């Protein structure tokens, strides 16, 4: 079966290929409520800390915070590129992947890259909240509002630390060959251009990932942690190719 665009191929694979079947090829899974759990293959895991949802088509490790869809899992476990994972999963789904000439379907590729940046940023914010000493203030605040660790992990809450260039540093800026450009970080609203150069948009804020119906992180909401600051109490990611505030409702899933 041949489909017209890469987007159609990817979405059709997500519908036809059960992520549980793919993960079960590498990990022994056990049913737990509506999901499955197993020992995470991406870090030394002594007890099952990875959850796999057939309904959402996603996996998430509560230990190392690795997460994503069936494409992400196959890329991480096999060290494959996205096109390689696409071909493998298309074969399993019985779908023919059309040939793409250079430059064709560039919009979909840009969107995929923007979503990947958001996913990596979410992992960074989660780490800052859960494992960095500076995240304790944020953890204490969330706990005082009745948002304990289970809720924090379920909704992948995070913390953006103080400082003006943390995100840029995390994505490799300052190295000789950064993988992500400042323009790409600006396109998803993680940094902005000021009179003295680019700076982090989210600083000393609790981060709420905003997820679309396909499980991908479209943007972020952020709550100012200190009431002494003069900046807006709440901030959202700016409008972009992957984030439209009028089309997304937080926590819908």
């Amino acid at each position: 079966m041949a489909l017209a665009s890469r987007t159609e191929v990817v979405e059709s694979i997500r519908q036809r290929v059960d992520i549980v079947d793919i993960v079960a090829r590498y990990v022994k899974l056990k049913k737990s409520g509506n999901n499955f759990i197993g020992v995470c293959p991406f870090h030394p895991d002594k007890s099952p800390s990875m959850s796999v949802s057939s309904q959402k088509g996603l996996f998430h490790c509560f230990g190392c915070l690795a997460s994503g869809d069936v494409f992400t899992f196959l890329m991480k476990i096999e060290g494959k590129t996205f096109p390689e994972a696409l071909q493998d999963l298309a074969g399993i789904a019985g779908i023919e992947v059309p040939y793409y000439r250079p430059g064709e379907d560039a919009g979909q590729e840009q969107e995929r890259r923007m979503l990947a940046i958001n996913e990596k940023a979410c992992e960074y914010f989660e780490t800052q909240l859960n494992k960095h000493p500076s995240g304790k203030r944020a953890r204490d605040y969330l706990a005082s509002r009745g948002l304990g660790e289970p809720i924090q992990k379920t909704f992948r809450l995070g913390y953006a630390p103080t400082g003006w260039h943390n995100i840029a540093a995390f994505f490799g800026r300052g190295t000789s060959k950064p993988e992500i450009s400042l323009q790409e970080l600006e396109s998803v609203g993680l940094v902005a251009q000021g009179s003295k150069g680019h700076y982090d948009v989210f600083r000393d804020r609790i981060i709420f990932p905003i997820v679309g119906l396909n499980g991908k992180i479209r943007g972020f909401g952020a709550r100012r942690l200190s009431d002494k600051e003069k900046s807006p109490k709440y901030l959202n990611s700016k409008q972009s190719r992957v984030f439209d505030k009028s089309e997304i409702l937080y926590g819908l899933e």
Side-chain angles (χ1 to χ4, degrees), residues 147-160:
L147 304 177
E149 186 174 343
I151 293 178
Q152 294 173 27
K153 290 187 174 181
T154 297
F155 289 93
R156 302 188 63 185
L157 304 189
Y159 172 65

Side-chain angles (χ1 to χ4, degrees), residues 50-68:
M50 185 172 70
S51 175
V52 187
S53 170
S54 179
Q55 182 180 9
K56 293 185 177 181
L58 300 172
F59 76 93
H60 179 72
C61 175
F62 294 98
C64 69
L65 304 181
S67 62

Side-chain angles (χ1 to χ4, degrees), residues 56 60 64-65 79 111 123 197 207 224 236 238 243 251 253:
K56 293 185 177 181
H60 179 72
C64 69
L65 304 181
E111 181 173 327
E123 293 174 7
I207 301 296
R224 187 184 65 207
N236 286 322
K238 72 173 188 178
F243 182 66
E253 293 190 302

Side-chain angles (χ1 to χ4, degrees), residues 82-196:
F82 179 78
E84 290 171 339
L86 179 67
Q87 288 288 350
D88 288 352
L89 293 170
I92 294 172
I95 296 172
E96 179 183 345
V97 179
Y99 171 74
Y100 295 96
R101 293 183 294 275
E104 190 174 356
D105 216 19
Q108 283 77 13
E109 179 61 23
Q110 180 190 16
E111 181 173 327
R112 187 195 69 79
R113 191 167 174 85
M114 293 173 74
L115 292 173
I117 291 172
N118 280 344
E119 174 61 34
K120 293 299 293 184
C122 182
E123 293 174 7
Y124 168 76
F125 293 136
E126 285 180 296
T127 299
Q128 293 298 309
L129 176 67
N130 296 309
K131 298 184 178 181
H132 199 279
S134 67
K136 186 177 186 303
R137 286 174 55 241
R139 293 195 300 271
D140 291 345
Y141 174 80
L142 288 168
S144 73
R145 301 298 299 269
L147 304 177
E149 186 174 343
I151 293 178
Q152 294 173 27
K153 290 187 174 181
T154 297
F155 289 93
R156 302 188 63 185
L157 304 189
Y159 172 65
T162 57
W164 296 85
H165 307 293
N166 292 307
I167 280 290
F170 172 72
F171 279 99
R173 299 302 307 176
T175 63
S176 59
K177 295 182 179 180
E179 294 182 2
I180 305 297
S181 69
L182 285 171
Q183 288 69 32
E184 287 181 294
L185 295 178
E186 186 177 0
S187 73
V188 295
L190 289 171
V191 304
Q193 176 75 55
S195 60
K196 297 182 179 180

